[in-house]
């Protein structure tokens, strides 16, 4: 009887251990990843002005044929300042980065790039946030990896750092450079 | 400068917490009075420094110091000052600081109001609270420091507070909720102290009760406020979404409710001791788990903050130490408790245990439902959510069973109850419940559902039971009011708290089954009719405020030919983040709410509107408030005060305080 009871007293601990293992397993997986699934889909269609190039527009079609990072940023976003040096460095290493200037005023944005350096091949000026809405942008900064077919292969929410560049973003970019269209079949 | 003051205050608070957590514990073990005497002053000093840190952060917000990353993230120079203050806990770092502040506050309160307790008990309790505080202070200092600077490239203006949080409800909701969450740390610390010393008598339960009750009241009000905020601010017209964050608050509430009842049985009848201790551990663990779920980003939620696995890992590690440690302690020590009371199968003890089991089944069901996406993901089914249908299905029978028990409780004696006399005393009550359960929805509404009949029947059953018991207890004397005044406040509190649940169930059920909702597209002067009300859309005007621009619509509501109400729903564009917020316009009354929210405009000038008629929706919050009020009333019971006075007198006389209470 007593022995049995002691086992009963261990029960809450066992339940908790299982629970803890479950939570540990889920840590670091982005909960936004599946529900917001634009992953595996084409970049939404858009035609928006290019920042700093009066009268010139850029569309999704023009971006095809290259593997690139699409970085969502704005001058009102303090975290963007944190990741900006990292982006500068990546650009210097030859990574193709397009900027999506999100809900911002072009003058402020140009000023910002003049002061902090410009890592972007081109900056899409999304002053109203239309493309951001289509992409399902949650907040700035966010970074999307897009392959040569214009398919979004990854979405990174938050600041790009050296660590997550090396651990996640870089391998994914390299992989899609090699495999190209394979990702499409996976939905 | 101020940021550094805040930062250093936190570091000092951490050092003091280390003292508070170690010296008194060792002192209590070795019986060194001098070391134990550190506990109380340490708790007070720690509180002082956390307050200093918190005040510094508030000052930074008021000064618009955007060199501080957290301020730049959460505030903006155009924000009204009261939102600047509430923005302090609008984000991750600040809400953790609030958590620590409240924990330090509770510790200080224990230090001040514990004169009746023997020194070794106080030392252990404050030491346990010190350990919790260490965990959270480390968490703040290592991963989430609100005083971090953004130098040299700081923004000229802030990112603004999330407009969803720019609301009066959100000024008071988090502190209230946290008071509840963290308040359970007191009874948790008591239990751990008891497990450590091996002394858990009924005095332990009596002393824990008021603390648990205060925490429970705060949590009840906090959840109700959150629900009310979601109702009028999110613009969907719902009052509960079974969202992970909401579930995180309702789990400690359920197990805390079980704990309150278990404590009373432990105190009065000296049974269920191990169970009560386990509930105390579980309740506080669920509060911590709630913090983990909200902060780690493992689940998606409307209230989700930044997700950061590093932070999640820290909390999970902390959780493993606190919860794992206490449950291990429990596993080895719980068998020491001996059951002193005896009771029969049909008795109030059994009834309370059944109620406890119901509450714990409900807690577990919510836990399972909340974590289901993680479970299914771990089993490779993909991330699936169970959603409201699951929760409603599980909750409905549990709620009915709980109402049934609450209604029978006053007529079942402690120790042993004769079944024949029980049936005899309940027969009219049962009959009336059946009759009214069918009659009320039949007469009041045009449709009738079996769930509504059951909800009405069980609520009536509970309400009559409360009234009948009140009558039985007051009519021995001469007058009802004289009799009422003579009853103890904790008894009256119980009656109120249980009646509140009946009110809540009626509200929840009626509003779910009888709400009417229409999504319409209206041109100016178009109208639409729902039930007996006709809604006329009169177009929009704009209004400029300090930090947003509002498009204000006007809807005139007619009942028959006479104007019944004017409603002004709004759509606001917050200038800094360019977020669009919907402010619903509500004409509220006890029996129904008229609810109008604006959707989008069309090119031809028409507007999309969501118009709802929501019967009895206010009963939900009213019920919760009545319950909390009942808790508050019980708290003022003279029994708690008398006992304090009596045993402090005894303690001064040199007798060990606990023995007096026992």
């Amino acid at each position: 009887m007593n022995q049995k009871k002691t086992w009963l007293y261990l029960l809450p601990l066992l339940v908790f251990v299982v629970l803890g293992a479950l939570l540990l397993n889920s840590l670091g997986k982005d909960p936004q990843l599946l529900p917001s699934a634009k992953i595996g889909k084409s970049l939404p269609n858009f035609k928006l002005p290019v920042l700093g190039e009066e009268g010139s527009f850029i569309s999704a079609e023009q971006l095809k044929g290259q593997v690139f990072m699409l970085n969502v940023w704005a001058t009102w976003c303090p975290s963007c300042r944190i990741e900006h040096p990292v982006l500068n460095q990546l650009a210097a290493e030859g990574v193709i980065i397009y900027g999506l200037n999100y809900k911002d005023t072009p003058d402020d944005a140009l000023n910002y790039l003049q002061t902090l350096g410009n890592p972007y091949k081109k900056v899409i000026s999304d002053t109203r946030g239309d493309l951001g809405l289509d992409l399902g942008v949650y907040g700035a900064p966010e970074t999307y990896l897009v392959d040569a077919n214009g398919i979004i292969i990854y979405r990174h929410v938050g600041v790009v750092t050296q660590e997550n560049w090396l651990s996640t973003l870089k391998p994914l970019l390299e992989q899609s450079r090699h495999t190209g269209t394979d990702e499409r079949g996976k939905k | 400068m101020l940021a550094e003051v805040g930062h250093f205050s936190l570091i000092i608070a951490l050092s003091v917490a280390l003292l508070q957590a170690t010296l008194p514990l060792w002192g209590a073990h070795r019986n060194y009075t001098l070391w134990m005497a550190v506990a109380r002053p340490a708790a007070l000093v720690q509180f002082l420094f956390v307050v200093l840190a918190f005040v510094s952060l508030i000052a930074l917000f008021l000064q618009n110091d955007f060199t501080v990353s957290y301020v730049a993230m959460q505030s903006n120079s155009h924000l009204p000052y009261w939102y600047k203050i509430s923005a302090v806990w609008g984000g991750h770092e600040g809400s953790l600081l609030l958590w620590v502040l409240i924990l330090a506050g509770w510790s200080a309160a224990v230090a001040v109001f514990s004169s009746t307790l023997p020194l070794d008990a106080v030392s252990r309790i404050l030491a346990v609270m010190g350990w919790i505080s260490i965990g959270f202070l480390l968490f703040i200092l290592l991963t989430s420091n609100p005083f971090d600077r953004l130098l040299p490239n700081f923004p000229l203006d802030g990112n603004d507070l999330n407009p969803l949080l720019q609301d009066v409800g959100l000024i008071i909701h988090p502190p209230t909720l946290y008071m509840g969450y963290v308040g359970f740390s007191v009874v948790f610390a008591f239990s751990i102290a008891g497990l450590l010393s091996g002394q858990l008598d009924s005095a332990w339960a009596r002393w824990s009760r008021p603390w648990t009750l205060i925490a429970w009241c705060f949590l009840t009000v906090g959840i109700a406020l959150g629900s009310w905020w979601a109702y009028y601010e999110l613009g969907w017209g719902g009052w509960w979404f079974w969202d992970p964050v909401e579930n995180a608050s309702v789990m400690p509430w359920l197990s805390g409710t079980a704990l309150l009842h278990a404590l009373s049985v432990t105190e009065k009848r000296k049974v269920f001791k191990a169970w009560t201790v386990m509930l105390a551990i579980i309740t506080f663990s669920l509060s911590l788990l709630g913090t983990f779920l909200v902060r780690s980003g493992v689940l998606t939620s409307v209230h989700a903050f930044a997700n950061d696995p590093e932070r999640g890992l820290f909390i999970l590690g902390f959780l493993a130490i606190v919860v794992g440690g206490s449950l291990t302690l429990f596993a080895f020590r719980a068998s020491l408790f001996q059951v002193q009371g005896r009771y029969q199968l049909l008795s109030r003890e059994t009834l309370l245990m059944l109620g406890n089991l119901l509450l714990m089944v409900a807690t577990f069901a919510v836990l399972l439902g909340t974590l289901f996406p993680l479970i299914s993901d771990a089993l490779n089914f993909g991330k699936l959510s169970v959603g409201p249908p699951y929760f409603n299905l599980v909750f409905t029978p549990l709620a009915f069973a709980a109402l049934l028990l609450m209604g029978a409780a006053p007529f079942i004696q402690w120790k042993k109850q004769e079944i024949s006399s029980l049936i005899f005393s309940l027969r009219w009550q049962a009959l009336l419940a059946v009759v009214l359960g069918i009659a009320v929805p039949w007469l009041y509404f045009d449709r009738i559902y079996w769930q509504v009949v059951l909800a009405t029947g069980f609520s009536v059953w509970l309400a009559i039971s409360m009234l009948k018991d009140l009558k039985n207890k007051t009519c021995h004397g001469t007058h009802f009011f004289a009799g009422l005044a003579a009853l103890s406040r904790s008894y009256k509190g119980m009656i109120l708290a249980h009646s509140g649940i009946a009110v809540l169930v009626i509200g929840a059920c009626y509003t779910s089954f009888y709400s009417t909702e229409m999504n319409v597209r209206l041109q100016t002067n178009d109208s639409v009719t729902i039930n007996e009300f006709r809604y006329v859309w009169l177009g929009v005007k704009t209004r400029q405020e300090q930090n947003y621009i509002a498009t204000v619509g006007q809807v005139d509501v007619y009942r028959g030919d006479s104007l019944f109400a004017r409603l002004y729903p709004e759509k606001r564009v917050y200038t800094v983040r360019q977020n669009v917020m919907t402010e619903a316009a509500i004409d509220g009354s006890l029996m129904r709410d008229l609810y109008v929210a604006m959707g989008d405009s069309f090119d031809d000038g028409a507007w999309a509107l969501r118009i709802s008629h929501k019967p009895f929706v206010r009963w939900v919050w009213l019920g919760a408030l009545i319950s909390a009020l009942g808790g508050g009333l019980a708290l003022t019971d003279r029994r708690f005060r008398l006992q304090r006075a009596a045993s402090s007198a005894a303690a001064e006389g040199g007798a060990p305080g606990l023995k007096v209470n026992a």
Side-chain angles (χ1 to χ4, degrees):
Chain A
M1 171 71 196
N2 222 347
Q3 196 64 28
K4 223 181 187 173
K5 265 231 156 134
T6 314
W7 275 108
L8 213 58
Y9 291 139
L10 268 172
L11 197 66
L13 184 63
L14 294 178
V15 172
F16 173 73
V17 169
V18 173
L19 199 70
L22 182 71
L23 292 174
L24 187 65
N25 177 46
S26 319
L27 258 184
K29 293 186 182 171
D30 189 344
Q32 309 281 333
L33 219 57
L34 268 157
S36 70
K38 292 279 181 211
I39 316 269
K41 303 226 170 80
S42 307
L43 213 54
N45 277 324
F46 65 90
K47 191 174 181 223
L48 287 167
V50 179
L51 184 75
E53 295 177 24
E54 201 72 33
S56 102
F57 286 83
I58 189 164
S59 69
E61 205 53 42
Q62 284 167 272
L63 294 174
K64 280 197 179 163
Q66 52 191 341
V67 179
F68 63 95
M69 277 167 67
L70 180 64
N71 175 251
V72 181
W73 66 282
T75 54
W76 45 258
C77 147
S79 320
C80 298
R81 286 168 199 270
I82 298 171
E83 71 171 3
H84 205 83
V86 181
L87 297 179
N88 281 335
Q89 197 187 335
L90 295 183
E93 289 169 14
V95 181
I96 305 174
I97 310 174
Y98 281 91
L100 173 62
N101 185 228
Y102 179 60
K103 295 188 178 175
D104 212 345
T105 40
D107 286 346
D108 290 350
L110 283 170
N111 215 341
Y112 176 97
L113 292 180
Q114 260 162 23
T115 332
L116 297 176
N118 186 352
Y120 306 112
K121 199 166 171 190
K122 274 189 174 140
V123 178
I124 306 161
S125 183
D126 188 16
T127 44
R128 288 196 309 173
D130 294 342
L131 177 56
L133 190 72
D134 289 341
L135 271 172
V137 167
Y138 185 66
E142 275 188 24
T143 302
Y144 294 80
L145 302 186
V146 184
D147 75 2
N149 297 309
I151 309 286
I152 301 171
I153 50 177
Y154 189 72
R155 173 192 186 196
H156 175 78
V157 180
V159 176
V160 174
T161 61
Q162 271 304 340
E163 290 110 65
N164 56 39
W165 161 252
L166 289 176
S167 65
T168 334
L169 300 174
K170 192 180 181 192
L172 279 167
L173 270 184
E174 278 170 359
Q175 190 193 348
S176 72
R177 240 182 237 129
H178 297 309
T179 52
T181 51
D182 284 5
E183 290 292 323
R184 195 195 281 249
K186 287 188 189 167
K187 180 194 158 189
Chain B
M1 182 53 201
L2 216 45
E4 284 67 35
V5 170
H7 192 173
F8 288 129
S9 303
L10 282 184
I11 296 175
I12 297 173
L14 175 65
S15 326
V16 179
L18 273 166
L19 280 183
Q20 182 191 329
T22 48
L23 283 186
L25 197 62
W26 191 244
H29 183 64
R30 284 304 185 82
N31 207 12
Y32 296 153
T33 315
L34 207 60
W35 288 18
M36 289 194 269
V38 171
R40 286 194 177 109
L44 294 174
V45 171
Q46 196 209 333
F47 179 56
L48 200 72
F49 278 99
V50 177
V51 168
L52 191 60
F54 198 77
V55 171
S56 311
L57 191 58
I58 291 180
L60 287 170
F61 270 85
L62 290 176
Q63 292 174 351
N64 297 318
D65 189 341
F66 299 122
T67 63
V68 175
S69 156
Y70 182 65
V71 179
M73 214 69 107
Q74 294 296 327
S75 185
N76 183 276
S77 53
H78 294 292
L79 208 59
Y81 73 90
W82 58 90
Y83 289 138
K84 278 182 187 159
I85 295 174
S86 73
V88 169
W89 52 84
H92 169 81
E93 288 86 349
S95 44
L96 275 173
L97 188 59
L98 180 67
W99 216 103
V100 169
L101 175 76
I102 291 173
L103 179 64
W106 280 102
S107 309
V110 171
V112 172
F113 299 106
S114 59
S115 51
T116 63
L117 280 180
L119 189 57
D120 68 318
V122 178
S123 306
R124 288 199 179 92
I125 292 162
L126 287 176
V128 172
M129 296 182 84
W131 283 111
I132 302 167
S133 191
I134 290 173
F136 273 89
L137 282 168
L138 274 178
F139 184 44
I140 291 180
L141 288 168
L142 295 179
T143 74
S144 332
N145 188 351
F147 298 108
D148 274 347
R149 297 270 196 188
L150 266 182
L151 291 171
N153 291 317
F154 61 89
L156 292 177
D157 207 339
N159 193 16
D160 205 7
L161 177 63
N162 183 347
L164 264 183
L165 308 183
Q166 293 187 24
D167 181 82
V168 192
L170 257 288
I171 297 180
I172 42 179
H173 166 62
T176 320
L177 200 63
Y178 282 17
M179 281 297 282
Y181 275 170
V182 185
F184 287 126
S185 69
V186 180
V187 62
F188 170 79
F190 264 75
S191 306
I192 297 301
L195 284 173
L196 284 173
S197 67
Q199 292 172 329
L200 277 174
D201 46 21
S202 57
W204 157 78
R206 184 177 311 166
W207 217 86
S208 305
R209 272 179 83 188
W211 295 96
T212 314
L213 196 54
I214 301 175
W216 182 88
C217 291
F218 272 111
L219 190 57
T220 309
V221 173
I223 296 174
L225 274 173
S227 156
W228 166 239
W229 167 79
Y231 173 71
Y232 71 80
E233 184 69 25
L234 291 181
W236 309 332
W239 53 274
W240 194 259
F241 303 98
W242 296 112
D243 177 276
V245 171
E246 292 172 341
N247 293 348
S249 69
V250 86
M251 284 188 284
W253 187 86
L254 288 167
S255 75
T257 310
L259 174 63
L260 270 184
H261 292 85
L263 277 172
S264 90
V265 185
T266 306
E267 183 198 341
K268 289 189 179 121
R269 299 287 312 138
K270 304 181 175 54
V271 290
F272 306 159
K273 274 186 200 163
W275 171 260
T276 310
V277 170
M278 186 190 76
L279 284 183
I281 296 175
I282 289 182
T283 304
F284 184 61
S285 305
L286 286 170
S287 301
L288 287 181
L289 182 75
T291 313
F292 172 79
L293 288 181
V294 179
R295 302 284 150 219
S296 65
V298 293
L299 291 165
T300 328
S301 146
V302 279
H303 317 263
F305 292 80
N307 69 72
D308 182 338
E310 193 186 321
R311 288 172 181 171
L313 200 62
F314 190 105
I315 307 186
L316 190 58
F318 181 60
L319 212 60
I321 296 170
V322 175
V323 185
S326 357
L327 289 177
T328 311
L329 190 65
F330 173 78
F332 287 104
R333 293 288 222 152
S335 51
L336 294 179
F337 305 133
Q338 284 169 2
V339 177
Q340 289 161 308
R342 290 270 175 276
Y343 58 96
Q344 303 272 316
L345 189 61
L346 185 63
S347 61
R348 194 176 284 184
E349 285 91 331
T350 314
L351 193 84
L352 279 159
M353 183 42 93
L354 271 178
N356 257 276
L357 284 175
L358 280 180
L359 285 163
M360 291 321 286
V361 168
T363 310
F364 197 70
V366 176
L367 185 68
L368 205 65
T370 310
L371 297 182
F372 193 75
L374 306 184
I375 300 171
S376 68
D377 193 34
L379 299 175
N380 282 325
F381 296 145
K383 247 179 202 175
L384 302 171
S385 291
V386 286
Y390 160 82
F391 290 106
N392 292 339
L393 185 71
V394 174
F395 251 69
T396 311
L398 290 174
F400 289 159
L403 288 175
L404 184 69
L405 292 185
M406 278 189 272
F411 309 100
I412 296 180
Q413 309 290 328
W414 292 110
K415 287 189 213 172
K416 184 171 192 277
Q417 169 70 40
E418 290 298 332
I419 186 133
S420 52
S421 70
L422 177 68
I423 292 174
F424 183 77
S425 59
L426 291 178
R427 67 196 196 289
W428 290 115
Q429 184 179 336
L431 187 68
L432 207 57
V434 173
V435 171
L436 285 179
I438 297 170
V440 170
W442 182 274
L443 295 173
Y444 196 81
F445 295 105
D446 48 0
R447 286 155 297 153
I448 193 159
Y449 303 90
W450 62 267
Q451 294 96 327
V452 175
V453 170
L454 285 179
T456 316
F458 281 118
S459 301
V460 166
W461 157 269
L462 173 55
I464 295 174
S465 150
M466 293 297 119
L467 288 175
K468 207 167 90 180
D469 193 42
L470 207 56
K471 181 177 155 286
N472 286 348
K473 290 212 164 65
T474 48
C475 285
H476 307 308
T478 43
H479 292 293
F480 176 76
F481 287 105
L484 193 67
L487 285 173
S488 77
R489 289 193 181 175
S490 75
Y491 171 77
K492 282 183 278 195
M494 181 276 281
I495 297 278
L496 258 186
H498 285 184
S499 309
I501 302 296
V503 172
L504 192 156
V505 168
I506 290 280
C509 176
Y510 286 10
T511 193
S512 311
F513 279 92
Y514 296 113
S515 285
T516 323
E517 188 180 290
M518 275 174 118
N519 288 303
V520 288
R521 178 184 164 157
L522 296 180
Q523 293 279 2
T524 306
N525 295 325
D526 276 358
S527 71
V528 60
T529 304
I530 297 175
N531 297 349
E532 72 266 38
F533 296 102
R534 192 161 58 88
Y535 301 78
V536 185
W537 171 245
L538 294 170
V540 295
K541 292 191 184 99
T542 44
R543 191 184 65 190
Q544 171 86 48
E545 290 286 336
Q546 194 176 350
N547 56 339
Y548 63 85
I549 300 163
T551 307
V552 187
Q554 186 182 345
V555 175
D556 280 359
V557 185
Y558 290 88
R559 182 188 221 162
D561 286 331
S562 59
L563 182 67
F564 180 77
R566 283 225 151 102
L567 296 175
Y568 300 96
E570 290 184 11
K571 266 186 103 97
R572 293 179 182 170
V573 180
Y574 282 81
T575 36
V576 178
R577 291 193 180 189
Q578 290 289 310
N579 283 12
V580 181
M581 287 289 124
T582 304
E583 294 282 312
I586 303 168
D587 179 74
S589 79
L590 191 60
M591 303 312 268
R592 50 105 204 96
D593 272 18
L594 309 179
Y595 184 104
V596 178
M598 280 162 74
D600 291 319
S601 62
F602 295 93
D603 291 337
D604 59 355
W607 280 82
L609 292 176
R610 168 193 290 252
I611 302 177
S612 329
H613 181 101
K614 299 186 159 296
F616 287 84
V617 66
R618 286 191 181 225
W619 288 43
V620 174
W621 307 299
L622 189 68
L625 289 184
I626 292 175
S627 275
L629 206 64
L633 188 62
L635 207 56
T636 61
D637 194 289
R638 55 199 283 274
R639 203 159 47 94
F640 290 132
R641 277 173 294 156
L642 264 187
Q643 160 232 335
R644 189 173 295 161
S647 40
S648 67
E652 278 159 23
L658 270 184
K659 292 285 185 290
V660 179
N661 293 342

